[in-house]
């Protein structure tokens, strides 16, 4: 078996779990100052090695990524995110989140994935 080592410093995505629909919650991403951050959000998973992103994409992206911003001098980006209404009769839903960071040197890196349960407001 061949072993491949990916260069660079690990990036990290964090969000408190579970959350409620229609609530604004902070998403935190750690990386290097200047990293430009986009978020992949999906209700399905996949397992696809993406060499250009130096990692495995585990979110099956149904649409374009969501731009979160640029990491500041402290190495952490915290942005509020509002989860949509789940719809009538839906009590909970699991989402899969993963961030991609674009460095000032033009490289891409993926964070590890996060699975998140979103609950109906009534709970």
């Amino acid at each position: 078996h061949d072993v491949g080592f990916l260069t660079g410093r690990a990036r990290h995505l964090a969000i408190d779990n579970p959350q409620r629909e229609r609530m604004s919650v902070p998403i935190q991403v750690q990386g290097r100052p200047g990293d430009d951050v986009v978020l992949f959000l999906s209700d399905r998973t996949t397992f696809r090695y993406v060499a250009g992103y130096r990692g495995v994409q585990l979110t099956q992206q149904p649409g374009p990524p969501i731009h979160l911003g640029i990491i500041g001098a402290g190495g952490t980006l915290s942005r509020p995110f509002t989860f949509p209404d789940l719809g009538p009769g839906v009590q909970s839903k699991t989402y899969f989140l993963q961030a991609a960071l674009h460095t000032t040197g033009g490289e891409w890196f993926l964070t590890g994935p996060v699975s998140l349960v979103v609950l109906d407001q009534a709970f």
Side-chain angles (χ1 to χ4, degrees):
H1 294 270
D2 289 336
V3 176
F5 292 94
L6 303 174
T7 61
R9 183 175 159 237
R11 272 64 174 186
H12 181 75
L13 169 69
I15 186 169
D16 289 337
N17 201 359
Q19 294 293 338
R20 301 231 183 259
E21 66 181 348
R22 296 179 279 155
M23 297 293 292
S24 181
V25 297
I27 292 179
Q28 292 187 344
V29 181
Q30 293 178 337
R32 288 192 176 171
D35 284 353
D36 195 6
V37 182
V38 295
L39 178 70
F40 296 106
L41 172 71
S42 180
D43 60 0
R44 296 175 305 237
T45 62
T46 189
F47 188 89
R48 184 171 64 103
Y49 177 70
V50 183
Y53 278 41
R54 291 167 181 76
V56 176
Q57 185 172 12
L58 296 169
T59 56
Q60 189 173 356
Q61 189 62 21
I66 301 160
H67 185 254
L68 293 181
I70 295 176
I71 293 179
T76 300
L77 173 69
S78 183
R79 287 287 186 261
F81 188 82
T82 303
F83 287 92
D85 188 278
L86 297 177
V90 180
Q91 296 177 347
S92 68
K93 189 170 188 176
T94 301
Y95 287 98
F96 304 96
L97 295 81
Q98 191 170 19
L101 293 84
H102 191 225
T103 70
T104 56
E107 297 176 300
W108 284 95
F109 292 92
L110 287 170
T111 67
V114 173
S115 60
L116 175 70
V117 174
V118 178
L119 302 173
D120 184 87
Q121 284 284 12
F123 285 149

